């Protein structure tokens, strides 16, 4: 329970900070430069993801999650000194280290604690906890936009301090022993850890690992555009702020409502079917989002994240089944996080350009197009119609049953 509460408070503060970056930045810089700065944050973070995975496996998951939380407190403290170009750039800089260990550390921590028989439900609870935090951030956004930057910074610091307290109360790492207690083989593994070895590990996890990385990339780019564009619309249309903030919250509200149920279904259903229909629902509803910012936005937003969660749970379940040794959970999580960071680097840049070029609605619809392309690619791969199937280690005709997700 303390770890679930840590996730709630960390995501509450982290999502709120990320959402404030575009409207705060718009008051200081042209929108396309704001997109470059926010995207550049994720790009720099992407270059550090693999070293971060190595550090997680070497120093421990919970310890590095504490480092991320402390870094985010420093990130939030920048706003306490007022909103200037200097503090804005500093808050983006510190947030690199605030997010760096969070996602791979969280996934690796849970991979090391997951039980074979209940891992899908276990990881769906993680998604629900994250989603609760994001929903809280979305609903709080219209009110925080009325605060001064100093007051907003104080709120963020309080939330992250609560997250740190719950993390300290969480169970210690289970799979990573202290450095001096490790065997000679474990030390040699850490010393000789290389990109080539990691690549061989990821190949063993194909096709689940490859599809999960591609889905993470496309989804991150799409959500980055959503969280860049919708706060700008909220700031410009305060009369519709309540409806739009709920529309922003509904992406994670669907996980709160359905996350545990989908995790349970993932233990009983064919994962191939889950991924197929999840990607289809995700792509179609995502493209339909841009046509309406009223009630239909809320409905399609709910269905969009439902499709994403279906595919995501099934792919993580498959990955966990293929990962027998669990000796590189941090590094594997870092690879997936690398794809996530690349998506969050591209999304704000594209959103900043498309927002002024074609408007918010069409920009969102175009952001969902790569997910539809991924659905087509998945269909080709699973049904063995792709000409380079021997190279890509394609899926078998029928996928093995199992459970899990991150």
């Amino acid at each position: 329970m303390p770890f679930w509460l840590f996730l709630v408070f960390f995501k509450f503060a982290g999502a709120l900070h990320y959402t404030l970056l575009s409207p705060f930045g718009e008051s200081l810089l042209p929108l396309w430069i704001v997109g470059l700065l926010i995207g550049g944050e994720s790009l720099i973070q992407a270059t550090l993801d693999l070293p971060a995975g190595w550090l997680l496996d070497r120093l421990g998951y919970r310890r590095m999650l504490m480092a991320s939380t402390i870094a985010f407190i420093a990130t939030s403290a920048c706003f306490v000194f007022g909103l200037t170009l200097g503090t804005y750039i500093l808050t983006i800089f510190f947030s690199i280290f605030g997010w760096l260990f969070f996602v791979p550390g969280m996934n690796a921590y849970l991979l090391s604690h997951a039980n074979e028989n209940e891992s899908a439900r276990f990881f769906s609870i993680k998604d629900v906890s994250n989603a609760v935090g994001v929903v809280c951030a979305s609903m709080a956004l219209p009110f925080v936009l009325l605060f001064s930057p100093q007051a907003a910074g104080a709120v963020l610091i309080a939330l992250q301090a609560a997250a740190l307290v719950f993390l300290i109360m969480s169970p210690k790492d289970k799979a990573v022993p202290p450095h001096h207690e490790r065997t000679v083989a474990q030390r040699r593994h850490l010393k000789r850890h290389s990109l080539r070895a990691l690549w061989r590990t990821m190949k063993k996890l194909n096709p689940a690992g490859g599809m999960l990385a591609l889905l993470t990339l496309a989804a991150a780019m799409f959500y980055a555009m959503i969280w860049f564009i919708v706060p700008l619309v909220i700031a410009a249309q305060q009369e519709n702020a309540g409806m739009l903030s709920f529309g922003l919250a509904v992406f994670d509200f669907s996980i709160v409502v359905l996350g545990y149920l989908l995790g349970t279904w993932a233990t009983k259903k064919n994962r191939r079917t889950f991924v197929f229909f999840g990607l289809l629902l995700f792509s179609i509803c995502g493209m339909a989002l841009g046509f309406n910012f009223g009630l239909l936005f809320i409905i399609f937003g709910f269905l969009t994240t439902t499709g994403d969660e279906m595919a995501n749970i099934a792919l993580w379940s498959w990955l966990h089944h293929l990962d027998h040794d669990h000796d590189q959970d941090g590094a594997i999580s870092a690879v997936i996080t690398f794809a996530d960071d690349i998506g969050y680097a591209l999304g704000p840049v594209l959103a900043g350009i498309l927002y002024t070029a074609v408007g918010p609605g069409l920009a969102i619809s175009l952001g969902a197009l790569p997910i539809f392309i991924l659905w087509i690619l998945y269909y080709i791969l699973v049904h063995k119609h792709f000409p380079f199937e021997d190279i890509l280690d394609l899926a078998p005709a029928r996928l093995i049953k199992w459970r899990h997700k991150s």
Side-chain angles (χ1 to χ4, degrees), residues 70-88:
I70 293 171
F72 233 119
I73 291 175
T75 300
S76 305
C78 294
F79 286 143
V80 175
F81 297 97
L83 183 61
T84 65
L85 183 58
T87 58
Y88 186 74

Side-chain angles (χ1 to χ4, degrees), residues 122-135:
F122 198 80
F123 280 79
S124 65
I125 294 174
K126 180 217 72 173
D127 280 349
V128 171
S129 300
N130 281 320
V132 169
V134 177
V135 169

Side-chain angles (χ1 to χ4, degrees), residues 84-153:
T84 65
L85 183 58
T87 58
Y88 186 74
I89 293 176
L90 273 178
T91 196
I92 290 178
F93 173 77
F94 283 123
S95 68
I96 294 172
F97 302 97
W99 288 114
L100 182 60
F101 297 106
F102 174 69
V103 176
M106 167 186 62
N107 290 338
Y109 180 89
L110 294 178
L111 281 171
S112 66
H113 281 268
N115 181 281
E116 176 77 9
N117 297 322
E118 296 183 340
S119 56
R121 298 183 184 92
F122 198 80
F123 280 79
S124 65
I125 294 174
K126 180 217 72 173
D127 280 349
V128 171
S129 300
N130 281 320
V132 169
V134 177
V135 169
C136 292
S138 303
M139 300 306 293
L141 177 63
F143 303 101
V144 177
L145 283 173
L146 301 176
F147 294 172
S148 66
Q150 292 88 338

Side-chain angles (χ1 to χ4, degrees), residues 8-21:
V8 170
F9 279 93
F10 189 100
K11 286 305 290 278
F12 190 169
L16 186 57
H17 174 270
Y18 187 84
T19 311
L20 290 170
L21 287 179

Side-chain angles (χ1 to χ4, degrees), residues 26-325:
E26 187 185 27
S27 64
L28 299 170
L29 296 164
L31 207 53
W32 66 272
I33 296 181
V34 175
L36 285 174
L37 286 174
I38 299 175
E41 167 205 346
S42 294
L43 185 61
I44 295 172
Q45 189 178 323
T47 64
L48 301 174
D49 279 333
L50 295 182
W54 182 82
L55 286 173
L56 282 163
D57 285 330
R58 190 176 196 280
L59 300 179
Y61 309 138
R62 195 180 70 144
R63 181 184 301 176
M64 301 313 295
L65 285 170
M66 289 181 185
S68 276
T69 309
I70 293 171
F72 233 119
I73 291 175
T75 300
S76 305
C78 294
F79 286 143
V80 175
F81 297 97
L83 183 61
T84 65
L85 183 58
T87 58
Y88 186 74
I89 293 176
L90 273 178
T91 196
I92 290 178
F93 173 77
F94 283 123
S95 68
I96 294 172
F97 302 97
W99 288 114
L100 182 60
F101 297 106
F102 174 69
V103 176
M106 167 186 62
N107 290 338
Y109 180 89
L110 294 178
L111 281 171
S112 66
H113 281 268
N115 181 281
E116 176 77 9
N117 297 322
E118 296 183 340
S119 56
R121 298 183 184 92
F122 198 80
F123 280 79
S124 65
I125 294 174
K126 180 217 72 173
D127 280 349
V128 171
S129 300
N130 281 320
V132 169
V134 177
V135 169
C136 292
S138 303
M139 300 306 293
L141 177 63
F143 303 101
V144 177
L145 283 173
L146 301 176
F147 294 172
S148 66
Q150 292 88 338
V155 170
L156 293 174
I157 291 173
L159 292 172
Q160 285 293 350
L164 183 60
V165 170
F166 286 118
L167 181 59
I168 292 172
M169 297 168 58
S170 299
K172 295 182 179 179
D173 288 335
K174 196 172 185 178
V176 181
H179 184 65
H180 66 276
E181 295 180 6
R182 291 176 181 170
T183 65
V184 174
Q186 286 173 318
R187 294 181 186 180
R188 187 180 296 119
H189 159 72
L190 292 172
K191 186 176 181 179
R192 296 183 179 180
H193 182 77
S194 65
L195 289 177
R196 181 177 296 181
L198 182 59
W199 171 250
R200 287 196 297 267
T201 300
M202 291 302 296
K203 282 189 67 176
K204 294 177 183 177
L205 302 179
N206 274 340
M211 286 303 304
L212 181 59
L214 290 174
L215 174 59
T216 301
L217 172 65
M221 187 166 63
F222 173 74
Y223 289 125
M225 296 180 70
I226 290 287
W227 284 79
F228 187 95
I229 292 171
V230 175
L232 292 173
V233 178
I234 291 175
Q237 303 178 14
Q238 277 294 326
E239 65 277 6
N240 295 327
M243 174 72 76
L244 288 173
S245 65
F246 185 74
L248 196 60
V250 79
F251 292 99
D252 287 86
F253 180 73
S254 64
I255 299 178
V256 176
V257 175
L258 298 176
Y260 187 81
L261 181 61
L262 292 175
T264 302
W265 285 349
T267 67
K268 302 175 181 178
K269 305 297 181 181
N270 188 315
R271 287 188 304 273
R272 182 177 64 177
T273 303
F274 243 57
V275 176
F276 179 86
F277 286 106
L279 287 174
L280 180 62
L281 185 64
F282 189 9
S283 60
I284 297 299
C285 293
M287 287 188 287
L289 271 174
F291 295 103
N292 187 279
F293 282 105
L295 180 60
L296 287 179
F297 185 89
I298 295 174
I299 295 173
F300 284 128
F302 186 93
L303 295 174
T304 294
T305 312
T306 300
D308 178 23
E309 185 72 356
M310 286 175 62
N312 209 17
I313 283 179
L315 287 170
W316 271 106
S317 172
W318 192 3
L319 179 69
H320 189 273
H321 178 72
L322 295 175
D323 185 14
H324 300 292
D325 299 327

